[in-house]
Amino acid sequence: MRELSRRQAIIGLGAFTLVLAGCGEDEAPKQAAQSANKAGAMANYGVNQQFKATEPLSFDVLYNNHPFYPLKNDWLFWEELTKRTNVTFKPVAVPLSDYEKKRSLMIGAGDAPLIIPKTYHPQEEAFVASGAVLPVSEYFDLMPNFKDKVAKWKMEPELDTLRQADGRIYLLPGLHENVWVDYTLAVRMDILEELDLEVPTTWDELYTVLKAMKAKYPDLYPMTDRFGIPTPGGNLLKLVAQAYGAKGGWEYQHAFWDATAGKFVYTGAMPQYKQMIEYLHKLVKEKLLDPEAFTQQDEQADQKLISGKSFVISCNAQTLVNEFRGALTKANPDAKIAKIPVPMGPVGDHKIGTRLENGVMISKKALENKNFVAMMQFVDWLWYSDQGLEFAKWGVEGTTHTKDASGGYKLADDVDFVGLNPDASKHLQKDFGFSNGVFAYGGPTKLLESTFSEEELEFQKVMNARKAWPVDPPHPLKEEEREQATLWETPLKDFVTQQTLKFILGERDLSEWDAYVKELEGNNMASYINLVNTAYERFKKEHG
């Protein structure tokens, strides 16, 4: 639907060249710091070479403590990491539920660890003006694996979206070889069979399926949903908006690139955004979609599915296996549930997503550390080398997994992960610390899919056949512009979220759409979009 112009491609390549080259005015102090802070660093560290510090080192790392696999000090991950790299991690653990708030407080107080993972763009922007985190693009030359994957996978346009107005990047993102789609809808396949229905491939077909389910089971809502907190309808709005060519739910951004017009427009006022609302409103109005779907706790949604009160719900691969399948079949042995390929809409067979993942910020204090160069090499090895990515995901060959002659992975018989060995006595995450979301993400598609079941591989085969949506052009804001934008964004986002829900639930009539758009204008919508387009034009002029 949208195509990158040759000019945009040239802009992206030029900007990335600028990033890799570094900013000239800071080149001397940067080189001086690298020269002075080389203790423990390898002299000839390169692509896919095992990093091993020349002396024992330790680095503190902010650790997002996941309740499904809470931190254990005796994990094999820690022991083997030190054995391979001569580096010991000192995790500063923060509960997942409090991670973002605690991270901000620690950075603001100057108490943050040197390595700050699990940061999603644009969260790093809050720390740019204060200089609390390093402009990591100035140090890409210390990270050969990162540079290699960016070049090999042609990821310059994606990296450009992380650039700030000063031409630098402040977040080391996880890199995926291809766009990876995981979140979709799970559907009770036994109900489809009972009603002689095909798996829906479009949102219109899903409507027809839900109508048939409602006709057979009039006292039920055929579809409910989870993932509604803190973003109402987070996944569902995202998926439906994508089908119409907009962004909603988890993916909502104020500015949407209109390739035809050659400018950014305000997402919440787009006709395509309205189409998303109209579709979901129709489902709610006809009692095909549970009105509580957008704001209920996940546990409530899951229970409705498991007890047979609903047949369709949002999910990803792990939710399907860990939350739904076992509990559902225990409650109803005849029940069968599966992920379906994301339904399509007017934009056709596109898969929409990014090849960038959450990433790592580096505290400004790191530059003063005598082991700075070694630390950057270590970060490069763990998060970006093929060996580091494999280690973080699969663990130790012969203990947690084996490999066959073709390089295929197989979990050890006594180790489970995502239901691959459901009767095993140990768990890859809980008992060993591998496949940990703080350290294991991104990488080659073959590695990504190495833990997928045959069922999931079939899902990915369908999704990977779809065309990837082009990357938006960069529009980095200057510091004062970002401060102004932040003041506008919060009330705009709150208003869009509230009114979207009211329209969908029928608490506000869709005949008031034009009045809603005028209310957006009263919340500085036009000024905000003008700011974004000014930044886009400036970038294009300076780097095009």
Side-chain angles (χ1 to χ4, degrees):
M1 189 89 180
R2 300 187 300 175
E3 295 183 0
L4 281 175
S5 69
R6 181 173 179 273
R7 176 178 177 79
Q8 289 169 14
I10 291 171
I11 288 171
L13 183 59
F16 182 69
T17 302
L18 175 94
V19 168
L20 287 187
C23 296
E25 64 184 22
D26 290 325
E27 196 67 25
K30 182 186 81 169
Q31 291 179 349
Q34 291 183 27
S35 177
N37 301 348
K38 285 187 174 181
M42 292 177 61
N44 299 305
Y45 174 65
V47 175
N48 286 326
Q49 179 182 0
Q50 174 62 54
F51 169 78
K52 190 155 190 175
T54 59
E55 59 186 72
L57 304 176
S58 66
F59 300 117
D60 50 358
V61 58
L62 195 61
Y63 182 83
N64 188 350
N65 203 1
H66 200 293
F68 184 69
Y69 45 94
L71 173 67
K72 293 181 180 178
N73 293 324
D74 63 351
W75 273 341
L76 181 60
F77 174 85
W78 308 120
E79 177 186 338
E80 188 69 20
L81 184 69
T82 300
K83 179 180 174 182
R84 297 189 185 198
T85 65
N86 214 10
V87 172
T88 300
F89 257 149
K90 295 188 293 185
V92 178
V94 176
L96 181 149
S97 59
D98 201 33
Y99 188 74
E100 291 180 23
K101 180 180 179 182
K102 185 70 172 177
R103 181 185 59 202
S104 294
L105 291 173
M106 294 177 76
I107 293 175
D111 296 330
L114 298 182
I115 301 173
I116 311 168
K118 211 65 180 174
T119 300
Y120 290 85
H121 176 73
Q123 292 172 345
E124 80 279 10
E125 292 181 354
F127 315 112
V128 169
S130 66
V133 296
L134 285 185
V136 286
S137 54
E138 295 294 291
Y139 308 99
F140 283 169
D141 58 326
L142 301 177
M143 306 184 68
N145 289 291
F146 177 86
K147 289 174 65 175
D148 178 65
K149 283 181 168 53
V150 168
K152 186 166 55 181
W153 297 341
K154 297 179 172 59
M155 298 192 69
E156 296 90 346
E158 282 92 343
L159 275 196
D160 276 344
T161 64
L162 304 181
R163 293 214 312 143
Q164 302 302 311
D166 62 5
R168 298 159 167 173
I169 294 172
Y170 290 77
L171 178 71
L172 287 168
L175 307 176
H176 283 285
E177 182 178 3
N178 294 299
V179 172
W180 170 40
V181 176
D182 185 15
Y183 286 84
T184 181
L185 300 178
V187 178
R188 282 277 300 274
M189 293 296 158
D190 56 307
I191 302 297
L192 292 185
E193 292 170 8
E194 176 191 339
L195 301 178
D196 196 25
L197 297 169
E198 297 292 325
V199 172
T201 61
T202 67
W203 290 99
D204 286 343
E205 289 178 7
L206 177 69
Y207 169 74
T208 301
V209 164
L210 294 175
K211 288 278 284 186
M213 289 175 170
K214 183 70 174 179
K216 177 69 175 178
Y217 299 96
D219 296 333
L220 305 180
Y221 288 110
M223 183 175 180
T224 192
D225 212 28
R226 70 193 328 264
F227 304 132
I229 298 173
T231 304
N235 182 58
L236 183 58
L237 266 66
K238 180 191 82 168
L239 297 181
V240 179
Q242 288 178 350
Y244 286 100
K247 290 187 177 181
W250 282 336
E251 202 174 47
Y252 184 83
Q253 295 175 354
H254 296 282
F256 188 95
W257 175 247
D258 185 332
T260 303
K263 64 180 181 179
F264 286 90
V265 297
Y266 192 75
T267 302
M270 292 169 60
Q272 296 93 326
Y273 192 83
K274 182 184 180 186
Q275 288 178 301
M276 171 204 74
I277 289 174
E278 289 171 332
Y279 178 84
L280 291 170
H281 171 67
K282 178 172 69 171
L283 297 190
V284 171
K285 183 179 180 182
E286 297 185 24
K287 298 186 177 180
L288 306 178
L289 174 59
D290 180 0
E292 296 179 350
F294 302 94
T295 54
Q296 66 190 345
Q297 298 283 344
D298 287 353
E299 293 78 11
Q300 292 175 273
D302 296 352
Q303 192 53 43
K304 290 175 181 178
L305 178 82
I306 292 163
S307 63
K309 293 180 180 177
S310 289
F311 308 129
V312 182
I313 193 170
S314 282
C315 79
N316 63 7
Q318 291 205 42
T319 305
L320 180 72
V321 174
N322 295 336
E323 307 295 338
F324 297 160
R325 187 160 281 163
L328 185 59
T329 53
K330 184 177 181 181
N332 179 359
D334 296 325
K336 293 186 290 185
I337 190 167
K339 287 173 67 174
I340 65 170
V342 177
M344 295 179 287
V347 302
D349 61 343
H350 280 86
K351 61 174 179 178
I352 301 175
T354 176
R355 293 193 291 166
L356 301 181
E357 256 284 5
N358 72 83
V360 179
M361 294 187 294
I362 303 295
S363 168
K364 68 174 182 179
K365 296 183 296 185
L367 205 56
E368 304 161 7
N369 191 298
K370 66 177 183 177
N371 307 123
F372 173 70
V373 172
M375 188 190 79
M376 296 302 290
Q377 291 177 344
F378 169 73
V379 167
D380 179 66
W381 179 84
L382 179 58
W383 275 283
Y384 300 104
S385 75
D386 288 349
Q387 299 97 322
L389 289 163
E390 179 189 83
F391 164 73
K393 187 177 184 72
W394 276 99
V396 179
E397 188 174 359
T399 301
T400 58
H401 72 281
T402 56
K403 291 177 74 172
D404 60 29
S406 64
Y409 302 87
K410 183 179 183 298
L411 279 172
D413 292 340
D414 62 344
V415 178
D416 182 33
F417 179 59
V418 292
L420 294 175
N421 280 340
D423 297 325
S425 60
K426 300 173 187 174
H427 193 276
L428 188 65
Q429 294 169 307
K430 296 178 182 179
D431 297 304
F432 296 97
F434 297 107
S435 284
N436 185 320
V438 177
F439 307 115
Y441 50 82
T445 298
K446 182 179 179 181
L447 180 67
L448 169 72
E449 296 184 347
S450 64
T451 55
F452 290 176
S453 64
E454 290 300 320
E455 175 187 15
E456 180 64 15
L457 288 171
E458 284 301 311
F459 171 84
Q460 292 298 331
K461 184 177 178 181
V462 174
M463 296 307 302
N464 288 338
R466 300 183 184 180
K467 299 185 289 288
W469 197 269
V471 179
D472 289 352
H475 50 281
L477 300 178
K478 294 180 179 179
E479 181 182 342
E480 63 275 12
E481 292 172 332
R482 190 185 305 109
E483 290 176 0
Q484 180 59 71
T486 301
L487 293 176
W488 289 333
E489 283 172 346
T490 299
L492 276 168
K493 178 72 178 291
D494 289 347
F495 184 74
V496 170
T497 299
Q498 293 163 2
Q499 299 306 310
T500 296
L501 205 53
K502 285 185 176 182
F503 281 129
I504 290 172
L505 296 177
E507 295 171 4
R508 185 172 186 179
D509 196 274
L510 278 158
S511 63
E512 296 185 31
W513 180 262
D514 291 344
Y516 155 75
V517 173
K518 284 193 172 79
E519 290 160 7
L520 282 173
E521 291 170 354
N523 277 294
N524 299 298
M525 174 182 74
S527 298
Y528 179 85
I529 286 299
N530 181 59
L531 192 68
V532 171
N533 280 314
T534 298
Y536 161 68
E537 292 292 344
R538 180 177 60 235
F539 176 89
K540 185 170 66 169
K541 181 179 179 181
E542 291 176 355
H543 304 299

